[in-house]
Amino acid sequence: MEDSLACFLTQASFAYQFAMSTSLPDVALFCDLQFSSDGMGFCKSGLTLDNSTVISEVFPKMEKTYKVNGEDVRGWFSLDFTTDQLAQNVTLIQNIFSRPSTFDGTLGMYMVDDVVELRPPHIWLNVEYNSFFLEHKISTEDYLKALPKEFSFSYISSPEIAFLKSVGGLLKQSKTKFVFRLLNENVVEPSTKKTYGELAKDLKFIKEFASGILVPKTYIWPLNKDQYLAPSTSLVKDAHALGLEVYASGFANDVGLSYNYSYDPSAEYLQFIDNSDFAVDGLLTDFPPTASGAVACLAHSKGNPLPPPQRPRPLIISHNGASGVFPGSTDLAYQQAMKDGADIIDCTVQMSKDGVAFCMPSADLGSCTTAGTAFINKGSTVHEIQNKSGIFSFDLSWSEIQTLKPADLVGPFAQAGLKRNPVAKNAGKFMTLPGFLDMAKASNVSGILIDIEHAAYLATRGLGVVDAVTGALTKAGYDKETKQQLLIQSDDSSVLSAFKKPFPASKRVLSIDTEISDVAKPSVDDIKGVADGVRIHRNSVAQVTGYFLTHFTNVVGTLHAANLTVFIGVLKNEFMNLGFDYFADPMVEVVTYSDAVMADGLVTEFPATAAAYFKSPCSDLNLNLSYSILPAQPGALVNIAVPGALPPAGAPAPLLEPADVLDPPLPPVLAVSAAAAPAPTGAADNTTSAASINAGSSLLVAGMVALLSLSFLQ
């Protein structure tokens, strides 16, 4: 059971129709019943209308104060307006700021009659405020009795016990299920004067007047003070033992979730329907497609093996390990990535002052370690690296770097309240390149990706990163490796050329960090001369206007036509990182790049999300299943917006030109005494090699000041 009223689209008609078209066949449309002054039933969540309609602008003098459950509530109430006033003058607006306001004011309030005309499989009528309307001479029971016979409700719920008992007698000959809706645990139920928390412990009493219960999800899986899951309660099992069905509410993709779910809403649904102990009977959600996908595709597939990393699925490539779960480029991040199903684990190579190669998301250690406090006096500005001050790895010895800890795992949207796994603060150890290679060799991953940056600048500092990587790979046997694939990635074509001869079996990947709309033919030829594939930015895949996808670009098609593999990244699970067409669901982005764009690899900070989809039967398009998770359709939402609702489309991104591809030859490595110093012993992974690398994840911190500020630049 799923709630379309608060679905992604604000307007009720679009929301209900969208729920029916994108959900499982037995979806129930949820209607929060309200009444006009002449007794017409409307579907509208929340007792007052001013927060989600334009009513305060249309009728500015109609604000009133009423007693509701003993408390004064001020606003605009449906019972003060006739059906004609509401239907002809009042339109809906979005009241959740993380959702688009593009459709505000275009459609009116939806009547119960309108929902019935859609002929959905089920209608769920929720009577939240029966006592309030009854006090003002509007009877829900009289309304139900007067409805035509074709107005059939599969479910009627209410938080008011007296109403459920009365309406149960009225409709006892119907097939309607009566469901007791429990509100927050400390709220008092009006007829019994008991809190809903107390009533939840008396299920035998509830069984006397209801066939099921609708409860906030925390009644089942409570959270501790740190927003992690506490042990589940016995509510579901206890209710099922008495023959009561259990429906869980409060699900939405674009709200803060327990940190256990790593911002993957599908993981939350599975916690309620696919654990070894119990399963609820329904889910009340603002995003029916995500819930449907969890039920139809992901449930009971966790133990499935991943299909081979080739078509029909792309490679899952970690970004500094599972850097959405643990600090990037640490042993814990890599271990989590392998556990979560990454095919390829990555190491972005940095160099210490004394020539130790190690894995780290950025040369600026201030962004990913505690160097900002430990070595604040070592700060400098290196314009060849970045245009702001930093504390760079090549200014610290390896022994100094070993004293550092990983920075807090804040994530790119922490300023908007979306922190990452706080319990992992400062957790994990940094790895030298030989240590990373040893770990990869001992694992069952399909391959490794070594990312090399700033090689030309490092040479001027007497640090030969290409030589360091070449030596470490050769010593680890990757020049003769046949089991694991070796990927060498760089934004410098000369770096890629340097690896062609010593590692002929490797795949070289040109990293294109700028946004592009297509690739010029001469550029394609230049890429083929130095690389086997390309890693492109997510924004190069689809044109975006006002956070809506308008169309796919030609970039992937052009590169594929030249037999170049295409990796897309970096994927992040936070809903603020996703365009509206993905419905705040990171798995829809995975499906889009895999099944619509046909990417060869997905670079992600959350490998588990991609792996969950590829383990599911829905990822096999040859099965022709009756329900599957659908890719985003650029332009689908834009086309239903009224003209002028979106901001003007920006200029298209530039073509990738030859000057963007080919780099000058690498300069010789300068002979600097500090660079020639022997590598210190006692590395974090017990290696003494001077060529060590630590593959890590760059935690890009975006300055987010409001939930509406979604970012496509991460």
Side-chain angles (χ1 to χ4, degrees), residues 48 50 71 105 119 130 282 298 304 337 359 376 380 415 440 502 531 561 583 589 645 701:
T48 59
D50 43 295
E71 296 184 4
R119 299 185 182 278
N130 176 71
L298 307 177
N304 293 351
C359 301
I376 191 171
S380 63
Q415 292 184 11
F583 302 110
E589 186 179 33
V701 179

Side-chain angles (χ1 to χ4, degrees), residues 86-163:
L86 293 174
Q88 296 179 15
N89 299 283
V90 179
T91 55
L92 303 172
I93 60 174
Q94 182 56 267
N95 62 350
I96 298 177
F97 295 136
S98 59
R99 301 177 186 177
S101 60
T102 307
F103 308 100
D104 285 3
T106 59
L107 288 181
M109 293 177 61
Y110 224 47
M111 292 184 286
V112 176
D113 306 51
D114 299 323
V115 180
V116 173
E117 288 181 5
L118 294 175
R119 299 185 182 278
H122 305 284
I123 298 176
W124 183 306
L125 194 68
N126 183 58
V127 184
E128 195 86 359
Y129 303 104
N130 176 71
S131 295
F132 172 75
F133 286 106
L134 196 59
E135 288 174 7
H136 299 279
K137 312 305 181 185
I138 300 175
S139 169
T140 305
E141 293 182 41
D142 290 344
Y143 170 78
L144 293 173
K145 285 190 292 186
L147 289 175
K149 290 184 178 180
E150 59 266 26
F151 280 46
S152 175
F153 302 111
S154 299
Y155 306 87
I156 294 179
S157 63
S158 178
E160 299 182 11
I161 292 176
F163 169 74

